[in-house]
Amino acid sequence: MFLLLVGVLLVAQGRPIFIRHSRVGRGGASFPCLKFRSMVTNSDVVLREYLASNPSAHEEWKESHKLKNDPRITPLGHFLRKSSVDELPQLFNVIRGDMSLVGPRPIVRDEVVRYGAYIEDYLRVRPGLTGLWQVSGRSDTSYQHRVVLDVRYVREWSLWRDIVIIFKTIPALLQSKGSY
């Protein structure tokens, strides 16, 4: 019911409701990662123009592949991202086997170089709907720290750790810390 309400709100601000963004999965295979649309439809153009006219934002983008004040995000998109509701459609990716409930967050092809020699660790597992990075500060941490957390998750994996991460996800979502 909640997903239907979000869909109706998104229809009111224009289509599409979902986006399929190509992400890197297990073994390096690409898959269409589903999300509720949280950005304007011409987001590539808006990003390119914003980064060209804003040197500090360009540096922030180079460092983290994220922007705290991203001009592409719609008003409804701010809520969807802050609450992580935009990622709920990824449950379909979990059902399809592209993702798991817990693991490193899916990355885009351009982010592979940020992992350096550690990309092999990332590629050993399916990306997760939640993971160690989400419960450890998310976007408030550096990208380098994200890689460390992803490698640690893969190398120290256990079912018990996954259960702990799932339970830590709930307060992390409610606090919305590091989500933008």
Side-chain angles (χ1 to χ4, degrees):
M1 188 58 127
F2 180 71
L3 293 178
L4 184 61
L5 174 63
V6 171
V8 168
L9 291 172
L10 285 168
V11 166
Q13 72 176 27
R15 294 188 184 248
I17 297 169
F18 299 102
I19 62 161
R20 294 171 186 238
H21 202 258
S22 182
R23 299 295 169 123
V24 178
R26 186 177 189 182
S30 294
F31 71 94
C33 187
L34 298 173
K35 291 180 93 173
F36 281 125
R37 184 174 59 84
S38 62
M39 294 185 178
V40 295
T41 52
N42 63 337
S43 62
D44 291 343
V45 173
V46 172
L47 177 65
R48 196 169 35 255
E49 290 173 357
Y50 184 70
L51 296 180
S53 65
N54 192 328
S56 62
H58 188 265
E59 287 303 310
E60 181 183 358
W61 181 259
K62 278 177 29 183
E63 172 62 31
S64 65
H65 218 72
K66 293 196 178 282
L67 295 171
K68 281 190 178 180
N69 298 309
D70 196 325
R72 302 171 297 167
I73 302 173
T74 66
L76 177 59
H78 281 288
F79 165 74
L80 295 176
R81 285 174 166 238
K82 196 79 171 153
S83 63
S84 295
V85 169
D86 65 321
E87 296 176 356
L88 283 177
Q90 291 169 19
L91 286 169
F92 294 110
N93 289 112
V94 172
I95 292 167
R96 285 181 36 144
D98 296 324
M99 293 176 63
S100 65
L101 287 177
V102 183
R105 286 296 296 152
I107 60 173
V108 296
R109 192 69 54 196
D110 290 347
E111 292 173 281
V112 167
V113 297
R114 294 177 172 266
Y115 280 76
Y118 299 111
I119 192 61
E120 294 305 319
D121 290 287
Y122 175 87
L123 297 176
R124 285 179 36 207
V125 298
R126 285 185 182 92
L129 190 57
T130 188
L132 189 55
W133 177 64
Q134 286 79 0
V135 300
S136 302
R138 294 165 87 171
S139 296
D140 285 343
T141 65
S142 70
Y143 205 101
Q144 184 178 16
H145 187 64
R146 174 184 177 171
V147 171
V148 168
L149 292 170
D150 286 349
V151 170
R152 190 166 111 206
Y153 170 80
V154 172
R155 292 183 179 181
E156 299 175 5
W157 180 88
S158 74
L159 180 58
W160 176 249
R161 286 178 193 258
D162 275 4
I163 292 168
V164 169
I165 289 171
I166 288 170
F167 279 105
K168 284 184 173 183
T169 298
I170 297 164
L173 287 174
L174 293 175
Q175 293 171 355
S176 299
K177 203 169 181 186
S179 61
Y180 47 85

